[in-house]
Amino acid sequence: MQRILTVIGARPQFIKAASVSRAIHAKEGLAEVLVHTGQHFDANMSDVFFDELGIPAPDYHLGVSGGGHGAMTGRMLERLEELLEKEAPDWVLVYGDTNSTLAGALAAAKLHIPVAHVEAGLRSFNRRMPEELNRILTDQLADILFTPTDTASDNLRREGVSESRIAQVGDVMFDAALFYAERAAERSAILNEHGLNKGEYVLATIHRAENTDDPERLGAIMTGLEAAAQERPVVLPLHPRTRAAMAREGFEPQHIRLIEPVGYLDMVALESNAAVIATDSGGVQKEAYFHGVPCVTLRDETEWVELVEMGWNELAPPGSADIALLLRNVVERDIGRKENRDKRNIYGEGETSTHITSTLSEEY
Ligand code: UDP
């Protein structure tokens, strides 16, 4: 029996872990110990995902949230080290690029416990992003690097990572998008709740520190979305960090429809029926593509370069791009629609979770 200790703590990790957890439970010879660090703790940033996606209740909840990056990561490290010594798992499994990812990988590596990193090899080449530092360090520490795309695998090769550590398995978020699409269509009433019509509104999400912590960039995004909201409804589920930043700066948009963060099924419904998505999220850029909806990325660069190269996504650097104009153009050109696409499946076949569990049960 291989015991996998999974460390998760932030919203995108719940979504990524849902499919892999299901696959672990389905696979003979694998067992999971689930640890929630506590990084995201609000009901609508955490509990809703466990309920809706059927993620088992965490075996441990470390209750670590808030504070600076150093304090948060440090407290997680301390708690995780204790826990790993007690549980002595065969693997530690970490996801993405948050402080929970780095703390899990570092605590395990120091105790000589093999680490597997899901969504390895992503690079923005912008070291001012905390996520970029977390990714680079986690990839250095991990024994198996589960990459989603050719680009991610090539990034690792360029950094000298040996081929034996790289396992290109596709993207777990694609598994989730396929698995929950029908359920979202059946169960979500979010469009009615907010009086939105299919194909007629902009869905926006903003949460990256580079946007929320820079008043000029945040101001440029708000001005752009306000202008877009004169043309068609703009709905913005507000991340707690963005809500706090807007309050700090006194931004009170009049036309953008600000709503609370939504659960995954409502998010899928909002994404798949939008005319266009404007986002600085990594996951939402890909989900726009999965659901065949054009996307404008409110950043200077993206890790998901293939979407831009293939023309399904456009970058709109806040402060220099005319966001409202770009949104209008992208809707008119209909850049992301499924029917316009070639058939290459750049994120795998939707079976990434089973590739991950097969690899973990074979190794060691
Ligand atoms: N998401 C959600 N509700 C929201 C906003 C986002 O369920 O109100 C989901 C979204 O569908 C995606 C994930 O959260 O699966 C993305 O997380 P986030 O944007 O916080 O992080 P990133 O992907 O940038 O790491």
Side-chain angles (χ1 to χ4, degrees):
M1 176 69 77
Q2 297 275 305
R3 290 173 69 249
I4 300 169
L5 187 140
T6 300
V7 180
I8 51 180
R11 175 170 67 187
Q13 294 166 336
F14 308 140
I15 292 154
K16 290 166 197 166
S19 307
V20 180
S21 267
R22 196 173 318 107
I24 293 175
H25 288 278
K27 179 118 189 141
E28 220 171 299
L30 287 185
E32 184 176 43
V33 178
L34 196 60
V35 181
H36 187 324
T37 60
Q39 188 172 343
H40 283 168
F41 52 87
D42 294 338
N44 59 13
M45 293 293 288
S46 174
D47 300 356
V48 64
F49 299 101
F50 284 80
D51 296 345
E52 275 187 353
L53 308 184
I55 310 170
D59 297 286
Y60 297 95
H61 196 295
L62 306 185
V64 178
S65 66
H69 285 280
M72 191 199 288
T73 314
R75 279 183 290 146
M76 286 176 185
L77 267 177
E78 195 176 355
R79 301 290 314 277
L80 283 166
E81 190 171 63
E82 254 170 52
L83 193 58
L84 292 177
E85 280 182 326
K86 178 174 152 213
E87 285 287 339
D90 299 292
W91 284 102
V92 167
L93 182 59
V94 295
Y95 292 87
D97 54 24
T98 73
N99 292 338
S100 303
T101 318
L102 176 61
L106 186 52
K110 288 263 175 94
L111 294 171
H112 311 144
I113 300 170
V115 176
H117 183 204
V118 175
E119 213 177 70
L122 288 215
R123 297 290 181 268
S124 64
F125 302 100
N126 174 0
R127 285 202 177 218
R128 292 181 55 81
M129 290 174 70
E131 295 92 337
E132 182 78 351
L133 301 175
N134 289 339
R135 291 178 194 128
I136 293 171
L137 295 170
T138 303
D139 285 343
Q140 284 291 319
L141 295 164
D143 297 85
I144 291 202
L145 300 161
F146 288 119
T147 56
T149 56
D150 292 340
T151 313
S153 301
D154 287 343
N155 286 339
L156 294 175
R157 289 183 190 115
R158 216 174 305 117
E159 290 175 18
V161 174
S162 73
E163 211 58 45
S164 61
R165 286 169 61 211
I166 303 173
Q168 189 170 323
V169 288
D171 196 305
V172 279
M173 292 188 98
F174 188 35
D175 293 20
L178 294 174
F179 189 85
Y180 295 105
E182 206 173 307
R183 205 173 294 185
E186 279 164 20
R187 296 198 194 161
S188 173
I190 188 113
L191 266 69
N192 282 343
E193 280 164 25
H194 293 285
L196 298 166
N197 293 327
K198 284 185 181 194
E200 288 184 6
Y201 60 91
V202 179
L203 171 66
T205 81
I206 303 146
H207 76 288
R208 287 219 176 269
E210 71 207 43
N211 286 333
T212 59
D213 296 0
D214 180 335
E216 272 177 35
R217 288 175 72 97
L218 189 60
I221 291 172
M222 289 302 152
T223 309
L225 294 179
E226 272 288 84
Q230 313 282 337
E231 295 171 31
R232 50 171 67 81
V234 174
V235 57
L236 171 53
L238 213 46
H239 190 285
R241 186 195 290 150
T242 316
R243 184 176 290 283
M246 287 174 68
R248 206 166 50 229
E249 299 305 327
F251 289 139
E252 287 177 10
Q254 298 303 304
H255 301 287
I256 304 170
R257 301 194 197 179
L258 302 176
I259 64 173
E260 287 295 312
V262 297
Y264 184 72
L265 299 182
D266 282 342
M267 190 62 181
V268 169
L270 283 173
E271 287 171 337
S272 51
N273 292 301
V276 57
I277 295 175
T279 189
D280 63 7
S281 157
V284 176
Q285 287 174 60
K286 276 178 297 168
E287 287 168 347
Y289 172 78
F290 300 152
H291 300 302
V293 173
C295 185
V296 167
T297 295
L298 304 169
R299 291 181 51 193
D300 298 347
E301 74 279 307
T302 177
E303 299 76 17
W304 304 101
V305 284
E306 41 296 284
L307 295 177
V308 176
E309 284 162 8
M310 292 165 79
W312 309 131
N313 187 336
E314 284 208 16
L315 287 176
S320 55
D322 182 334
I323 292 170
L325 179 67
L326 253 175
L327 287 171
R328 191 185 318 130
N329 288 345
V330 162
V331 172
E332 277 165 15
R333 282 180 15 238
D334 223 7
I335 62 166
R337 295 284 163 210
K338 256 188 191 138
E339 53 270 28
N340 300 340
R341 299 212 197 125
D342 65 28
K343 298 281 176 274
R344 254 186 306 165
N345 216 342
I346 49 178
Y347 296 108
E349 312 298 327
E351 311 228 324
T352 296
S353 313
T354 11
H355 296 318
I356 289 174
T357 51
S358 304
T359 309
L360 292 180
S361 57
E362 278 159 20
E363 294 283 327
Y364 297 92

